[in-house]
Structure formats: C-alpha cells, structure tokens
Amino acid sequence: MSLLPYTELQRDIQRTAREFAQRELAPIAAELDREARFEHALVKRLSELGFLGMLIPEQWDGLGLDAGSYLLALEEIAVADASAAVLMSVHNSLPTQMLLHYGNDAQREQFLKPMARGEMLGAFALSEPDAGSDAAGLRTQAVRDGDHYVLTGTKAWVSHGTHADVILAMARTDASDARAGAKGISTFVLTPDLPGFSVGKKEDKMGLRSSPTVQINLDACRVPADRLLGEEGRGFMYALASLDHGRLGIAAQAIGIARAALEAAAKYATERKQFGEAIANFQIIQFKLADMATRITAARTLLHAAAAAKERGERVTRFSSMAKLFATETAMWVTSEAIQIHGGYGYVTDYPVERHFRDAKVTEIYEGTSEIQRIVIARDLLAAVSSGDIDGHLTD
Ligand code: CAA
C-alpha cells in the first residue's frame, strides 16, 4: 500500500535495499553506535550492490538510476542504520555529483569511475570551524604556485573523512578580500596522499556515532592545478547546487530514521501491557501513532515529488529545502514521541529508540540547518512575489 506510483524497478531496488539492510546492517547497528566504530566492509558491501554509483550514468561506470530509486534505497538503509545512510548519501549526492556535473573527462576518468564502482569513497569539505551556516565566509586559502595550488586552512565536519579517498574541498582563490564571499571560492579534488594533507580532530558525537566526522588540515598542501574543478571562482555555486541534491538525501535518511522509530513504537505498544491491556488499545497511544505515520507519509510524499521534479530537469532548490526541513523536523518529533510511548524504556539503550532520537538530531543541522532551509525557501518565494505565483503551484 503506497500513495506514490513507484515503478517495478523502484520496488525491486527498494526490496533489495531492505533485505540487505535488515539482514546485514540492523543486527549490528546498536553495537557499532555504542563503540563508535566504522566498519570499512560497509563500503565494499554497498559497492557490490551498486549503491555507491546509483546516480552516475553507465558511461561513467554507475547504474544510471533515477533519483526516486536512489531515495527509496537510502530510506531502507537509514531504517537499519542511519550512520550507513550518511555515507551513502554524501558519496552519492555531493562529491560524485560535483565531478559528474562540473569535472572534466580526465577527472571523471580518474576519480568518478572508481567512485561509481565503489572503489574510492568520496567526501565533501565545505564547512570550517568558523564557517558553518555562513559557508561563503570560509577562510582556507588556495594560492597559485606554478602548476600547483597551495592550500592552507582547516576544513570541518567532514563525514567519513577518515576513510575518504577523494575529497571535494572548497577554498578561497581570491586573496584580495577574505570576505569577498561566494565569488572568490573554488573547488579542488583532494586525495589524502597530497603533501600537507592530514586528517585532524575526530568529533565525539551525540548520534551517527559509527560515521566518523573529522577535521581535515591543509598545511601548505600542494595540489596539482589540474585538480581544480570547473572554473576558478565558481566553487561555491557548485557546492550549493550539489547541496540541492544532498538535501534530498538527508530527507530520505530522516524519513528512514523516523520510520524505524515508528515501527519500534508500534511494536512496543502492542506488547507492553498497563492497566491490564496492551497500551496500543489506548486512544492516546493510537493518536500518537496516527500522527507519527501521517507526518512520515507527508514527508515522503513531498520528498518524492521533489525528486520527480529533479528528474524532469527542474530547479529544485526550494523543494529540496522544503523536503529536508519537513522530513528532518518530522524525524525529530517522531523519535521523541517514540520515546514517550516507550516511557522509561525509551530512555535506556535496551531499546533502539534513544539511538534513533540521537541520530535524528543532526539531520536538522548538517547540509544546512533548519533555519538555513527556511532562509532558502523564503528567499526563493520572495523572489517570486512579482510573478503572482509565490509558491510555484500555478506554473511549471
Ligand atoms: N544552486 C546554484 N547556485 C546557487 C544556489 C543553488 N542552490 N544558491 C545560491 N547560488 C548562487 C547564487 O546565485 C549566488 O551566485 P551569484 O552571486 O552569481 O548570483 C551565489 O551562489 C551565492 O549565493 P548567496 O548570495 O545566496 O550566498 P549566501 O552567502 O547568502 O549564502 C546560504 C546562502 C543559503 C546561507 C548558504 O551559505 C548555505 O546554504 N549555508 C549552509 C551551508 C551548508 O549547508 N553546509 C553544509 C555543509 S556539508 C555538511 O553538512 C557535512 C557533511 O559531510 C554532510
């Protein structure tokens, strides 16, 4: 039973992802979370399934699938293990998409192909310790020196940066004014073997604990000039355009987390007896479950409508932000309600919902906070005021 008109192929992919995730990820997710342990075998297993090249055309060794198939698979992975989902989301929607859309053929041959096959893991390095929401305020400098650029600075909050083979990093090539903003930023294809590249501080996080998040130190890191992605000065635009896709992935991840919490809460409600009967018989619990399921279905419907617009080649900045905003706030609310239904048992690690709650929180923060999503949506709709079609419902 589904509201959405999935194709047979999409259903097959969803089934494959679900079987894999429930068989191989769900049984060890709590243990990996407890030990904050990243399983490198995950990369190999995801690549064997083709899940690290889903959106890359076959010409570049990917599967050339549609966004809907990818998001369905991602949701299934997130239901089982949200940390595994962030790896799949970041790799598929940020570094690979940047190389596909803005790289040249030599870069695609050298990096995108092995990334699509899952032989190289990709990461994304935009943020810095002092540049989060204001991403254009980044300070890492890239100075041209003959046939190299020399990069100096610290990148922050790099998901799976410990194990990444290719990191798409943004740095400032316009040295004239450190607050020149977006226009002075370029993107570079970094690899850990470059002199001056090192992995720095590893964060001790509340959730997504088996997904290592690190700083990357660039200490006069010498980067061959042919590692510049696209044009100098366009790197910030490339990053934001890629985040339009990335945010769809985070929405799918959040929906997966919320669904895991709903499934756990509904099961618990049928098993837990109070006042002589299963708490699922009480209307107050039924109302909670009904609201949780309604919000999850609404979030998924918004997400897949945005994905369909992307497939039609439309600009999805506003809808991608809406999908992320709504899905991640849904995940936070649903996981909180799931704990409430479990009562005290929801607050301890014997049950999975406290993990889902901790995992949900960061979805409201990374790839743009909820506040940034609201800014993106509001700017877009205010720009449309004079058109008379503020929410984009009347025209294509
Ligand atoms: N697609 C393409 N271009 C875009 C764009 C988009 N979605 N959004 C903006 N641009 C362009 C603009 O048109 C502008 O170009 P012009 O000047 O030529 O017109 C340029 O980019 C700069 O845009 P803004 O003037 O809007 O820039 P701003 O400084 O006001 O910032 C912002 C906008 C929305 C606040 C942006 O900084 C932002 O999204 N911040 C949040 C950053 C973020 O999401 N970080 C997450 C990092 S990844 C992560 O979390 C870790 C991980 O590994 C998962």
Side-chain angles (χ1 to χ4, degrees):
M1 183 177 69
S2 169
L3 261 185
L4 293 157
Y6 299 130
T7 63
E8 213 161 300
L9 175 66
Q10 289 173 330
R11 282 294 187 203
D12 279 349
I13 289 165
Q14 182 188 43
R15 205 170 305 116
T16 302
R18 179 165 178 71
E19 284 168 9
F20 160 73
Q22 290 305 314
R23 193 179 56 242
E24 298 189 31
L25 303 182
I28 55 168
E31 179 188 323
L32 296 182
D33 169 75
R34 210 165 30 247
E35 297 173 6
R37 196 173 88 229
F38 176 74
E39 277 289 321
H40 199 262
L42 172 68
V43 180
K44 186 161 180 290
R45 291 297 290 128
L46 289 174
S47 67
E48 284 165 356
L49 291 160
F51 286 177
L52 296 182
M54 295 185 87
L55 299 172
I56 306 301
E58 290 175 36
Q59 177 195 2
W60 302 108
D61 288 356
L63 295 185
L65 289 168
D66 63 290
S69 299
Y70 159 66
L71 295 169
L72 283 173
L74 189 52
E75 178 182 328
E76 294 306 323
I77 302 297
V79 171
D81 183 350
S83 289
V86 73
L87 181 144
M88 185 169 151
S89 176
V90 168
H91 176 91
N92 274 291
S93 45
L94 296 171
T96 48
Q97 288 298 308
M98 289 179 94
L99 281 159
L100 176 67
H101 292 291
Y102 310 112
N104 57 39
D105 279 358
Q107 291 167 337
R108 293 190 190 116
E109 197 66 47
Q110 189 181 355
F111 300 110
L112 183 58
K113 276 189 168 182
M115 288 166 87
R117 293 193 297 265
E119 293 160 12
M120 282 182 151
L121 182 62
F124 179 75
L126 173 64
S127 305
E128 298 184 354
D130 295 319
S133 289
D134 180 16
L138 67 85
R139 295 220 179 108
T140 295
Q141 287 288 341
V143 179
R144 185 77 191 235
D145 178 22
D147 54 3
H148 282 74
Y149 286 89
V150 180
L151 269 62
T152 304
T154 302
K155 306 308 291 184
W157 309 111
V158 182
S159 296
H160 54 259
T162 38
H163 294 78
D165 303 291
V166 182
I167 302 98
L168 276 279
M170 276 44 76
R172 188 167 291 291
T173 35
D174 177 0
S176 56
D177 174 4
R179 197 58 191 85
K183 297 259 186 288
I185 294 171
S186 304
T187 299
F188 296 90
V189 186
L190 305 184
T191 46
D193 59 333
L194 292 170
F197 179 106
S198 64
V199 173
K201 178 182 176 227
K202 180 176 177 233
E203 306 296 345
D204 187 8
K205 298 181 297 180
M206 171 197 281
L208 295 190
R209 290 179 55 77
S210 57
S211 164
T213 303
V214 292
Q215 292 189 350
I216 287 182
N217 298 323
L218 302 169
D219 183 9
C221 177
R222 288 187 70 76
V223 182
D226 63 6
R227 295 284 191 89
L228 173 74
L229 189 85
E231 292 171 39
E232 234 188 55
R234 304 266 296 155
F236 191 65
M237 190 278 283
Y238 301 156
L240 289 191
S242 305
L243 280 165
D244 284 354
H245 306 311
R247 288 167 183 165
L248 297 177
I250 302 306
Q253 181 198 28
I255 291 165
I257 297 169
R259 206 182 93 205
L262 171 64
E263 286 172 5
K267 181 166 177 287
Y268 182 82
T270 58
E271 291 165 357
R272 171 74 170 167
K273 288 205 169 69
Q274 289 293 278
F275 306 103
E277 56 185 312
I279 62 170
N281 292 338
F282 300 129
Q283 232 176 27
I284 187 74
I285 300 296
Q286 292 176 4
F287 284 7
K288 282 187 191 297
L289 294 171
D291 286 345
M292 291 156 80
T294 303
R295 290 197 198 187
I296 291 171
T297 301
R300 188 185 295 112
T301 306
L302 176 55
L303 172 63
H304 283 269
K310 176 179 172 315
E311 283 301 309
R312 294 192 299 271
E314 293 168 25
R315 185 170 173 272
V316 293
T317 303
R318 180 198 298 198
F319 298 116
S320 165
S321 282
M322 284 180 172
K324 183 191 186 271
L325 174 66
F326 191 73
T328 61
E329 294 195 344
T330 292
M332 204 60 241
W333 184 81
V334 166
T335 53
S336 174
E337 288 296 88
I339 291 177
Q340 199 66 21
I341 289 172
H342 280 73
Y345 291 111
Y347 200 65
V348 294
T349 56
D350 298 350
Y351 287 83
V353 286
E354 61 83 32
R355 172 166 56 89
H356 301 323
F357 179 80
R358 288 185 288 106
D359 287 345
K361 184 60 210 171
V362 76
T363 66
E364 292 184 317
I365 297 171
Y366 66 11
E367 296 205 20
T369 60
S370 293
E371 291 75 12
I372 290 296
Q373 306 313 322
R374 288 187 166 89
I375 286 173
V376 172
I377 296 162
R379 279 185 183 177
D380 205 58
L381 73 86
L382 288 169
V385 165
S386 60
S387 74
D389 182 20
I390 291 172
D391 74 353
H393 182 60
L394 304 175
T395 52
D396 287 333

